[in-house]
Amino acid sequence: MKLLHLDASALGSHSVSRGLTAAIVAEFTRNAPATEVIYHDLVANPLPHWTPVADASDPAAVLGSQMLEEFLAADVVVIGAPMYNFSIPSQLKAWIDRVAVAGKTFRYTANGPEGLAGGKRIIIASSRGGVYSEGSAAAPMDFQETYLRAVFGFLGVTDLEFVRAEGVNLSEDNKVESLKTAHASIGVVTRKAA
């Protein structure tokens, strides 16, 4: 199995999403020791923001092709996606811009767009300072999980799951309880048949 692991939090060792992705990947490799893991820290090694490049040998184009090929080859993608200002970090958006490629991960047809990147699992470690889940007063401001569901759905991914820790900045007690719930869900998510 090939697993692509991405972190996008700027908080380093203080990051909730980084802790969750590490736990998810550890559980996968414990259950399947032969798992091949490719890791990218999108903050330590940020991708340049997308611009049109005419020359395929341009370093940005080469890096973009590498990101795309890794995504296409992965059976499982584990993404650390903290909520920043109601959305995702720009570093994660820069990666998405490299993998959302017409003719590779989606195409336009007479019946509308068609995703070409199905057949893989994506597990997103979502962290939020407040509470934005469905039914909460702040749910209309969630452009993090709603965006990720939309973009990966557009690419044809139907096996998309979230391990969520939210309300982590409301109080220390709330953070502890939220992390406990998130970690408890990791075993369920990783053992699920693909």
Side-chain angles (χ1 to χ4, degrees):
M1 178 173 64
K2 293 186 177 183
L3 187 152
L4 177 59
H5 175 187
L6 306 169
D7 277 322
S9 170
L11 297 179
S13 62
H14 301 288
S15 167
V16 169
S17 65
R18 285 176 183 268
L20 292 174
T21 63
I24 293 165
V25 172
E27 186 71 16
F28 265 109
T29 56
R30 187 171 23 260
N31 294 334
T35 300
E36 177 188 335
V37 178
I38 295 174
Y39 176 71
H40 291 289
D41 183 331
L42 299 175
V43 175
N45 298 295
L47 296 166
H49 289 283
W50 185 88
T51 56
V53 177
D55 182 0
S57 65
D58 180 274
V62 170
L63 189 57
S65 293
Q66 175 193 338
M67 296 296 119
L68 175 62
E69 293 308 316
E70 289 173 356
F71 174 69
L72 289 171
D75 301 299
V76 177
V77 183
V78 177
I79 302 172
M83 177 183 271
Y84 285 4
N85 298 316
F86 314 116
S87 187
I88 61 171
S90 63
Q91 294 91 339
L92 180 54
K93 176 63 166 65
W95 177 83
I96 290 170
D97 288 343
R98 295 309 194 288
V99 302
V101 178
K104 298 287 188 178
T105 54
F106 72 93
R107 66 180 172 198
Y108 294 107
T109 72
N111 297 320
E114 177 186 4
L116 302 174
K120 64 178 80 270
R121 294 181 69 190
I122 296 183
I123 301 170
I124 297 174
S126 169
S127 58
R128 301 149 159 217
V131 176
Y132 298 88
S133 54
E134 190 175 332
S136 71
M141 294 186 289
D142 174 12
F143 301 102
Q144 172 211 26
E145 289 187 14
T146 54
Y147 170 71
L148 293 169
R149 285 184 195 282
V151 73
F152 289 118
F154 184 82
L155 300 183
V157 176
T158 58
D159 194 350
L160 178 66
E161 296 175 273
F162 287 83
V163 171
R164 181 184 305 116
E166 66 177 349
V168 298
N169 291 342
L170 298 179
S171 71
E172 189 58 32
D173 287 346
N174 201 77
K175 181 177 183 177
V176 167
E177 191 58 36
S178 184
L179 285 172
K180 183 178 170 184
T181 301
H183 279 279
S185 72
I186 289 172
V188 174
V189 168
T190 56
R191 284 190 298 271
K192 184 187 130 200

